[in-house]
Amino acid sequence: FETPKRPYDDSSSVGNAYDEWARDGVLEHYWGEHIHMGSYNPMDTQSGYRKKDPFVLALFRATLGRLKNFKEAKIDFVHEMIDFSRAKDPKKILDVGCGIGGTSRILAKRFPDAEVVGITLSPEQAQRAGRLAEEAGLKNVRFQVMDALNMEFESNTFDLVWGCESGEHMPDKKRYVEEMSRVLKHKGNLVVATWCERDPVPIFTAEERKTLNFLYAEWSHPFFISLGKYKEYLDGTGLLEQVETADWTDQTLPSWRHSVWVGVWSPWYWIKVTLRKPAAFLGFLREVYTLEKYHKSMVDGLMVYGMMRAIKK
């Protein structure tokens, strides 16, 4: 399990990984339309969760206690991120790294007068996102395959630029921030959510570096950076003001293990996949192992869930 399955090579490795996930359908079956963390606010009502529980006790507590619905937590996260963005009435919205378009469709519904564009490196995701939008009867959202580091849009195009858990895959985080800032309109809102490693002081231990290297490579991430480094990049564009960051680790932390619990509580889909393709079972075990690695890394403070917002000057 310690040998990464999907190491980052270039942008094609990211697109290929998401093409694979889009085709096999397991991620969409369990996670719904949102391939990102959920928000479990208010945390004091989540009797089925304790941050420091060992794995087996956490499963029993989640099974017997109260835990927000897994898919609803993701929808709640999107609405909380919209509120965090401070966007009021955007007319053009860009969703950078849109997945199968769950967030884009929420944005299209919440801002019905807006034109929403979602971009992804995965053709399979773009096609699936378009079909789901059509099924939902949404006319104000579209999807296309595009590299977020080399966007084809003119500068000053969008009133709201949104990046939710896409920065992790970017080989050049500075350019990622610069491109989103470039296409943002004057007085437009930028909002970003991303997994971050802790600040590099004190220096990472050998064991921490080993863990981070695994977390980078297993899901096609080139590397992570700290929330402080992201703020440095945002400030460094010279285009933004009111740059603010926040740590949402605690409210999103239950997502990692909850991703496992939904498969335990409703195993029929992954069992069906395994019966059809026995080798898939090992893949499912790898995902459980990786999810637990992420959970422990955030519990231990090696990683944090970072939020950023800014307004273009």
Side-chain angles (χ1 to χ4, degrees):
F1 284 173
E2 288 293 331
T3 302
K5 183 182 178 183
R6 306 180 187 92
Y8 179 89
D9 292 322
D10 53 31
S11 61
S12 65
S13 66
V14 178
N16 291 339
Y18 280 104
D19 278 345
E20 178 186 342
W21 283 323
R23 282 192 298 268
D24 71 28
V26 176
L27 197 60
E28 184 177 345
H29 176 82
Y30 286 111
W31 285 49
E33 299 181 15
H34 299 270
I35 309 172
H36 57 74
M37 297 293 97
S39 173
Y40 290 77
N41 283 330
M43 291 297 295
D44 59 4
T45 67
Q46 307 302 313
S47 64
Y49 165 79
R50 292 292 183 277
K51 182 176 181 178
K52 296 295 183 70
D53 276 349
F55 187 83
V56 175
L57 177 57
L59 172 57
F60 279 107
R61 191 187 301 277
T63 302
L64 300 174
R66 182 189 183 280
L67 198 60
K68 185 184 288 188
N69 178 275
F70 185 58
K71 294 178 182 178
E72 288 178 3
K74 297 174 184 300
I75 295 170
D76 288 348
F77 178 92
V78 175
H79 287 289
E80 290 176 23
M81 187 169 167
I82 293 172
D83 294 340
F84 178 77
S85 77
R86 300 176 292 201
K88 299 302 181 186
D89 189 27
K91 299 303 181 187
K92 293 199 72 172
I93 301 172
L94 175 64
D95 183 0
V96 180
C98 63
I100 58 172
T103 294
S104 300
R105 288 184 291 277
I106 288 179
L107 290 166
K109 292 174 184 176
R110 182 143 167 181
F111 302 107
D113 295 329
E115 174 192 355
V116 182
V117 181
I119 63 170
T120 173
L121 285 171
S122 165
E124 295 276 353
Q125 283 190 330
Q127 291 173 16
R128 180 63 179 149
R131 288 196 299 270
L132 289 170
E134 185 177 350
E135 291 171 9
L138 293 170
K139 307 295 186 184
N140 63 327
V141 58
R142 59 184 173 87
F143 304 94
Q144 59 192 102
V145 177
M146 188 182 297
D147 183 356
L149 299 184
N150 296 284
M151 288 192 276
E152 301 162 15
F153 306 114
E154 297 291 331
S155 299
N156 307 305
T157 297
F158 297 96
D159 303 293
L160 171 61
V161 175
W162 176 287
C164 181
E165 298 185 18
S166 54
E168 296 87 337
H169 293 294
M170 303 298 165
D172 187 338
K173 316 294 190 194
K174 183 172 181 286
R175 184 170 177 83
Y176 171 64
V177 167
E178 290 171 345
E179 272 292 272
M180 290 191 293
S181 302
R182 179 185 67 80
V183 300
L184 186 64
K185 282 184 180 179
H186 170 65
K187 296 303 180 183
N189 299 94
L190 172 66
V191 64
V192 180
T194 189
W195 313 339
C196 303
E197 61 189 35
R198 68 163 173 80
D199 287 323
V201 178
I203 295 172
F204 293 112
T205 66
E207 188 61 30
E208 286 178 324
R209 179 51 62 196
K210 179 182 176 183
T211 298
L212 285 171
N213 287 340
F214 173 84
L215 298 179
Y216 297 162
E218 179 62 13
W219 287 341
S220 294
H221 303 123
F223 59 90
F224 304 137
I225 60 174
S226 69
L227 187 54
K229 178 59 74 172
Y230 267 114
K231 186 176 188 305
E232 179 184 317
Y233 287 159
L234 289 163
D235 288 331
T237 65
L239 300 174
L240 304 171
E241 59 187 5
Q242 299 182 44
V243 177
E244 299 176 21
T245 63
D247 184 340
W248 282 17
T249 303
D250 283 345
Q251 72 200 63
T252 57
L253 188 56
S255 294
W256 300 106
R257 284 178 167 173
H258 205 172
S259 303
V260 179
W261 307 157
V262 293
V264 173
W265 296 332
S266 180
W268 317 118
Y269 192 87
W270 65 260
I271 288 175
K272 181 176 68 174
V273 172
T274 300
L275 290 173
R276 188 173 67 245
K277 185 181 177 184
F281 181 69
L282 182 60
F284 294 143
L285 290 181
R286 288 187 66 96
E287 300 299 348
V288 171
Y289 181 80
T290 305
L291 288 162
E292 182 64 5
K293 278 268 195 181
Y294 273 101
H295 170 83
K296 288 182 176 179
S297 295
M298 291 204 169
V299 169
D300 294 342
L302 178 59
M303 292 187 61
V304 300
Y305 196 97
M307 300 293 298
M308 295 153 268
R309 64 183 180 185
I311 295 174
K312 192 163 184 179
K313 294 178 181 177

